Amino acid sequence: MRAITQTDIVCVMAHLTASVEYGLHCLLWLAGSAVPLSSRDLAEFQGISPSFVAKIFPKLEKAGIVGASEGVHGGYLLTKEPGDISVLDVVDAIEGQKPLFDCQEIRGRCAVFGERPPGWATTGTCAIHAVMLRAEKAMRDSLASQTLADVAGVLDRKAPADFSNDVRDWLDGRVKSRARKPVGRELSSQPGIDEP
Amino acid sequence: MRAITQTDIVCVMAHLTASVEYGLHCLLWLAGSAVPLSSRDLAEFQGISPSFVAKIFPKLEKAGIVGASEGVHGGYLLTKEPGDISVLDVVDAIEGQKPLFDCQEIRGRCAVFGERPPGWATTGTCAIHAVMLRAEKAMRDSLASQTLADVAGVLDRKAPADFSNDVRDWLDGRVKSRARKPVGRELSSQPGIDEP
DNA sequence: AAAACTCGGATAATCTCTATCCGTGTTTAT
DNA sequence: ATAAACACGGATAGAGATTATCCGAGTTTT
């Protein structure tokens, strides 16, 4: 059985993208960590692309969700309580308030208008656009009502008691192994994650 | 001033696509028509691509929203009352229930699991996926709550009294002009709509 | 001084959406 | 009967976005 690589993932181009998924998963692990975790730690821990995760975190930092510390023992930490970070905050930080619908103002091109459409046809919001804006607001309200703490709570109730210990051990070992001479054999215990 | 052509439209790749926008605009005009309108009638009336509109209508027909009649005076008619067609019906007919979010099951790739993740980690719905599904349901509920009749009502209140007469005249003239020898000069009274 | 980190830019591959064209079969008007 | 117009489906090309990777510059800790 071969390890799953990034090239196995197919693009589906949904509105809420894989970037958001990666970011949320990383933030969940960050919510339970007292020490800074680097983007590479988080990526290899979850078996996802380190270079791609590294592109996501600067966006989260600009949005004030995480803070970065540089240097050998640097990494990211949450800057707010998990209960104060909504899923919508993360989505907007990564996708930049991407609209659900892009109105092309077809209403003004009606053939009976000729060259220039009358004012009543182009003022205000297009009736179809208004429907989409209401749907978008419903979606955003739902995303805003759930916080990272809510999602983390669901995970905690599913996982057995010793799982969080295993996770902390793995991440702590990862952090402690920095700034040492590479051990070679030990680091390759997670094969096939980074190379195609 | 140059007429707007199809190549002027830029792709933005929102979740609710231009296909849905075109379809809804066409259905609104269809809601006010007693005679069948062809996809080309509807496209040229609105200054949008006839061949692209022609690809949308078979989907609407399969969904039971419109019915087609073939032949020289053929075209499409609504098969239901506008009040019985929700915007969600149209969106699903054209986009095929495209999901808002595509979960890639990252939870099962955690490094502490090794080759095979334990059952508790992969059963049920991923907690992050569940958040997105709730948001998607909120969006779909909103779209389902609005019908074509609602949208058409907004338009009717904005347009002046003689607008619907102008529209009917244009479309009727269009339908009547079928199956006649091409007049040449008369048909080119809407220039620059079809050719780049 | 060396090592590890963050950060930003540049680049390639892949996918979806948009748009167009062509051929087949059917119905209606001349 | 013949021609015109229609619906329908398949094949094809271009544009844009997302995903993924690599490299160099600057910073901090050991």
Side-chain angles (χ1 to χ4, degrees):
Chain A
M1 175 181 279
R2 187 173 58 88
I4 296 178
T5 65
Q6 290 310 308
T7 49
D8 291 334
I9 304 172
V10 294
C11 172
V12 184
M13 203 85 64
H15 186 256
L16 299 171
T17 60
S19 291
V20 171
E21 186 174 9
Y22 289 2
L24 283 170
H25 272 100
C26 289
L27 291 175
L28 282 184
W29 297 117
L30 223 43
S33 173
V35 297
L37 300 177
S38 74
S39 62
R40 199 189 308 164
D41 289 339
L42 289 162
E44 297 188 0
F45 178 68
Q46 299 176 96
I48 57 182
S49 160
S51 43
F52 192 57
V53 172
K55 287 206 84 70
I56 296 173
F57 267 93
K59 298 178 182 179
L60 295 172
E61 195 189 7
K62 283 196 185 68
I65 295 174
V66 301
S69 54
E70 295 192 333
V72 152
H73 277 177
Y76 292 100
L77 279 176
L78 293 189
T79 54
K80 297 192 271 189
E81 291 299 313
D84 293 332
I85 302 172
S86 75
V87 176
L88 182 64
D89 293 333
V90 180
V91 170
D92 283 346
I94 294 176
E95 295 194 334
Q97 300 223 15
K98 181 169 62 174
L100 190 65
F101 177 77
D102 176 64
C103 183
Q104 307 192 22
E105 293 295 333
I106 293 176
R107 58 180 178 167
R109 297 195 229 156
C110 184
V112 302
F113 293 156
E115 281 289 315
R116 182 169 313 207
W120 64 264
T122 54
T123 53
T125 306
C126 168
I128 289 174
H129 193 185
V131 172
M132 303 309 191
L133 287 175
R134 275 191 287 274
E136 183 175 14
K137 180 174 187 328
M139 178 193 74
R140 292 176 63 83
D141 287 348
S142 173
L143 291 177
S145 72
Q146 308 245 336
T147 70
L148 278 188
D150 298 330
V151 183
V154 175
L155 288 182
D156 279 347
R157 279 190 290 278
K158 282 186 76 174
D162 52 349
F163 177 62
S164 64
N165 291 332
D166 292 347
V167 171
R168 199 171 50 233
D169 288 350
W170 196 98
L171 291 172
D172 280 3
R174 193 53 203 237
V175 171
K176 289 210 188 90
S177 76
R178 294 184 199 167
R180 304 243 172 113
K181 289 217 183 304
V183 209
R185 193 159 293 277
E186 240 186 24
L187 282 182
S188 64
S189 62
Q190 303 295 329
I193 283 184
D194 207 359
E195 57 255 31
Chain B
M1 177 182 279
R2 190 172 58 88
I4 295 178
T5 65
Q6 290 312 305
T7 49
D8 292 335
I9 303 172
V10 295
C11 170
V12 185
M13 200 86 64
H15 186 256
L16 299 171
T17 60
S19 291
V20 170
E21 188 174 6
Y22 289 2
L24 282 170
H25 276 284
C26 289
L27 290 175
L28 282 184
W29 297 119
L30 223 44
S33 173
V35 296
L37 299 178
S38 74
S39 61
R40 198 188 310 165
D41 289 340
L42 288 163
E44 298 188 359
F45 178 67
Q46 299 175 94
I48 57 182
S49 159
S51 44
F52 192 58
V53 171
K55 289 206 84 70
I56 296 173
F57 268 93
K59 299 179 182 176
L60 295 173
E61 194 189 10
K62 283 196 185 67
I65 296 174
V66 299
S69 54
E70 294 191 332
V72 152
H73 278 178
Y76 293 101
L77 279 175
L78 292 188
T79 55
K80 297 191 271 190
E81 291 298 314
D84 293 333
I85 303 172
S86 75
V87 176
L88 182 65
D89 293 334
V90 180
V91 170
D92 283 347
I94 295 177
E95 295 194 335
Q97 299 221 16
K98 180 170 63 172
L100 191 64
F101 176 77
D102 177 62
C103 184
Q104 307 193 22
E105 292 295 333
I106 292 175
R107 56 181 180 168
R109 298 194 229 157
C110 184
V112 302
F113 293 156
E115 281 288 316
R116 183 169 313 204
W120 63 263
T122 53
T123 52
T125 306
C126 169
I128 289 175
H129 193 184
V131 172
M132 302 309 190
L133 287 175
R134 275 191 288 275
E136 183 175 13
K137 181 173 185 330
M139 178 193 74
R140 292 175 62 83
D141 286 348
S142 173
L143 291 177
S145 72
Q146 307 244 335
T147 70
L148 279 188
D150 298 329
V151 184
V154 176
L155 289 183
D156 280 347
R157 278 189 291 279
K158 281 186 76 173
D162 52 349
F163 177 63
S164 67
N165 291 332
D166 293 346
V167 171
R168 198 171 54 232
D169 287 349
W170 195 98
L171 291 172
D172 279 4
R174 194 53 203 235
V175 170
K176 289 209 188 91
S177 76
R178 294 182 199 169
R180 304 245 171 110
K181 288 216 183 305
V183 210
R185 193 160 293 278
E186 239 184 28
L187 281 183
S188 63
S189 62
Q190 304 295 327
I193 284 184
D194 206 0
E195 54 257 32

